[in-house]
């Protein structure tokens, strides 16, 4: 599809270039030959007007020689025009092809990304659906299915449905972020932001007996309150999800003249160096997380967080010494301009 679009675009660029070349060449050739013709006519009139001093035969000879030179010059001009056009159009074809490829490259990449995203999303949706289908089919085929087993099956199905609901919520968030890049920024209190995020993850922390510590100095920042709360909730949720029980997750802020840096540190599984750049991609999950029974997820959280960070120019990054060494996620928010 993109190959034929590139060819079409190349032909369009080439067509435009050829038309421009032909227009200028025609004009240049007409002007040059008209100038030559005028010179020849002037010479002819001058020679024919003085027959008394010059022999008629000599005049004819001179005129014949001039006519020959005139025709030669005309041919030379035509050859030069043709050669110049061939060079310009050949170089133009190559240039047009490169330009067409360059123009279509971002569209091609976006298209590929869209296909990959749809394939990944379908895969993620299919897995819980297939598992639910198998469980139900097995249960239906069992003539001795008791009430207890049926209830267990329903519980398991509810779990899968919850996963599907969280996946569709994540997908919807990503799609909405892609649609409306501009967000309304307000002057917000950093403490209020962090309090709100901490409240939202308190239940999960309590469940794993994890202590949430925050050492945040009050500051005003320029941000979209709801989005930055979402970003913080994603980081805190992950910190809790990927940490062993009875550990500590801390939120620390550090202010500079123009920004406030906020970091979330855990004592959890840590992230290997090779995976640190990949975890922000959609649907990416580190191998250890995929194999872990306790850490549910679809690999969308950090992609959403990264989008929010990009919109805020917040530079979201990760530092981890590796497996088992815990992780720190940091981002920065600008202070409001006074
Ligand atoms: P999810 O948590 O749903 O898998 P995310 O996009 O939030 O998706 O995270 C992507 C991956 O990054 C996770 O699967 C996990 O491997 C890794 N990760 C994220 N946060 C942490 C953390 N605090 N500690 C260890 N690994 C993490």
């Amino acid at each position: 599809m993109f190959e034929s679009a590139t060819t079409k675009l190349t032909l369009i660029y080439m067509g435009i270039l050829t038309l421009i070349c032909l227009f200028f060449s025609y004009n240049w050739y007409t002007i040059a030959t008209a100038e030559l013709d005028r010179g020849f006519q002037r010479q002819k009139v001058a020679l024919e007007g003085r027959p008394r001093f010059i022999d008629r035969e000599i005049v004819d000879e001179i005129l014949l020689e001039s006519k020959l030179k005139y025709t030669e010059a005309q041919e030379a001009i035509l050859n030069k025009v043709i050669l110049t056009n061939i060079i310009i159009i050949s170089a133009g074809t190559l240039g047009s092809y490169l330009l067409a490829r360059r123009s279509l490259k971002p569209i091609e990449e976006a298209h590929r990304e869209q296909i990959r995203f749809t394939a990944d999303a379908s895969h993620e949706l299919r897995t819980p659906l297939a598992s639910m289908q198998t469980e139900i089919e097995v249960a239906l085929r069992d003539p001795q299915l008791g009430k207890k087993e049926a209830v267990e099956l329903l519980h398991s199905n509810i779990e899968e449905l919850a996963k599907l609901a969280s996946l569709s919520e994540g997908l919807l968030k990503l799609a909405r972020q892609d649609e409306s890049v501009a967000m309304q920024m307000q002057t917000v209190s950093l403490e209020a932001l962090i309090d709100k995020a901490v409240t939202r993850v308190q239940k999960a922390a309590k469940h794993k007996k994890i202590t949430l510590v925050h050492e945040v100095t009050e500051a005003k920042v320029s941000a979209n309150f709801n989005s930055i709360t979402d970003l913080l909730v994603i980081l805190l949720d992950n910190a809790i999800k990927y940490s062993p029980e009875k550990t500590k997750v801390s939120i620390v802020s550090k202010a500079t003249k123009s920004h406030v840096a906020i970091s979330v540190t855990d004592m959890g599984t840590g992230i290997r160096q090779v995976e640190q750049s990949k975890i922000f991609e959609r649907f990416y999950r580190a191998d250890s997380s995929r194999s872990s029974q306790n850490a549910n997820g679809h690999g969308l959280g950090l992609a959403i967080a990264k989008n929010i960070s990009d919109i805020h120019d917040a530079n979201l990054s990760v530092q981890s010494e590796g497996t088992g060494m815990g992780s720190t996620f940091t981002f920065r928010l600008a202070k409001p301009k006074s």
Side-chain angles (χ1 to χ4, degrees):
M1 177 179 137
F2 280 97
E3 274 310 309
S4 85
T6 310
T7 314
K8 270 186 208 154
L9 205 57
T10 308
L11 287 176
I12 292 172
Y13 287 155
M14 233 180 77
I16 295 171
L17 183 73
T18 310
L19 279 179
I20 294 172
C21 275
L22 288 180
F23 174 76
F24 280 107
S25 303
Y26 174 76
N27 280 321
W28 186 63
Y29 179 74
T30 320
I31 292 167
T33 49
E35 203 53 47
L36 269 180
D37 193 42
R38 206 173 303 139
F40 173 71
Q41 292 305 336
R42 232 181 278 134
Q43 191 182 23
K44 194 175 167 190
V45 170
L47 285 169
E48 281 175 348
R50 300 187 179 185
R52 264 176 286 149
F53 306 113
I54 307 168
D55 195 334
R56 182 71 220 172
E57 258 177 43
I58 296 171
V59 168
D60 285 347
E61 220 169 279
I62 294 171
L63 279 178
L64 190 67
E65 207 173 304
S66 293
K67 181 76 187 165
L68 268 175
K69 276 190 186 151
Y70 165 75
T71 319
E72 266 172 27
Q74 210 176 14
E75 267 172 22
I77 290 172
L78 188 64
N79 287 341
K80 271 198 183 127
V81 167
I82 291 171
L83 187 72
T84 315
N85 270 309
I86 289 173
I87 293 171
I88 292 177
I89 291 171
S90 309
T93 307
L94 183 70
S96 301
Y97 176 76
L98 295 177
L99 202 66
R101 276 212 63 79
R102 220 179 124 164
S103 317
L104 290 173
K105 205 165 177 171
I107 305 170
E108 191 177 350
E109 268 163 18
H111 181 71
R112 274 213 194 107
E113 171 66 17
Q114 196 64 37
I115 291 174
R116 197 168 64 93
F117 179 66
T118 313
D120 288 344
S122 319
H123 176 77
E124 291 290 328
L125 283 167
R126 212 172 42 203
T127 314
L129 283 174
S131 121
M132 273 167 70
Q133 191 180 3
T134 318
E135 278 181 357
I136 295 170
E137 278 172 358
V138 170
L140 285 178
R141 260 189 257 124
D142 181 1
Q144 261 116 46
L145 182 79
K147 195 178 164 195
K148 194 173 157 245
E149 286 89 3
V151 170
E152 265 173 26
L153 172 74
L154 288 176
H155 273 303
S156 152
N157 280 354
I158 281 189
E159 263 176 38
E160 296 297 340
L161 284 174
K163 280 186 207 165
L164 279 174
S166 103
L167 171 62
S168 55
E169 200 182 311
L171 289 172
L172 216 59
K173 265 190 188 156
L174 272 176
R176 287 205 186 121
Q177 281 175 342
D178 282 353
E179 260 170 35
S180 56
V181 171
M183 275 186 193
Q184 259 206 327
M185 301 293 168
Q186 309 122 1
T187 298
V188 294
S189 143
L190 187 63
E191 239 176 13
L193 260 174
I194 290 170
D195 280 347
K196 177 95 185 186
V198 167
T199 313
R200 277 172 57 185
V201 297
Q202 203 91 58
K203 204 173 146 200
K206 217 170 161 185
H207 187 69
K208 284 184 88 175
K209 298 184 186 74
I210 286 176
T211 320
L212 293 173
V213 188
H214 41 117
E215 295 159 27
V216 177
T217 42
E218 175 48 2
K220 293 275 183 256
V221 287
S222 170
N224 180 281
F225 189 87
N226 290 335
S227 310
I228 290 295
T229 312
D230 281 348
L231 190 162
L232 262 167
V233 168
I234 292 168
L235 299 184
L236 290 169
D237 243 349
N238 279 346
I240 296 165
K241 200 158 72 172
Y242 298 107
S243 289
E245 287 192 358
K246 297 178 190 157
T247 50
K248 196 173 81 177
V249 169
S250 37
I251 312 159
V252 177
S253 77
K254 217 180 245 172
T256 64
K257 211 171 165 198
S258 57
H259 288 83
V260 181
I262 301 127
S263 37
V264 174
T265 304
D266 63 56
M267 299 157 73
T269 55
I271 303 161
R272 289 189 300 145
Q273 195 75 37
V274 282
E275 288 177 321
Q276 289 180 14
S277 57
K278 296 184 190 155
I279 55 172
F280 297 101
E281 290 170 14
R282 292 164 177 185
F283 297 108
Y284 184 84
R285 303 198 75 209
D287 291 340
S288 53
S289 317
R290 283 185 189 279
S291 51
S292 164
Q293 292 295 311
N294 308 321
N296 284 327
H298 301 282
L300 288 181
L302 286 181
I304 296 171
K306 180 83 172 56
N307 274 0
I308 299 172
S309 158
D310 288 348
I311 294 166
H312 284 81
D313 193 19
N315 249 341
L316 175 63
S317 63
V318 61
Q319 297 89 41
S320 175
E321 296 298 317
T323 315
M325 307 294 282
S327 328
T328 298
F329 284 84
T330 308
F331 64 96
R332 54 164 211 182
L333 291 172
K335 285 183 176 172
K337 288 186 182 86
S338 47

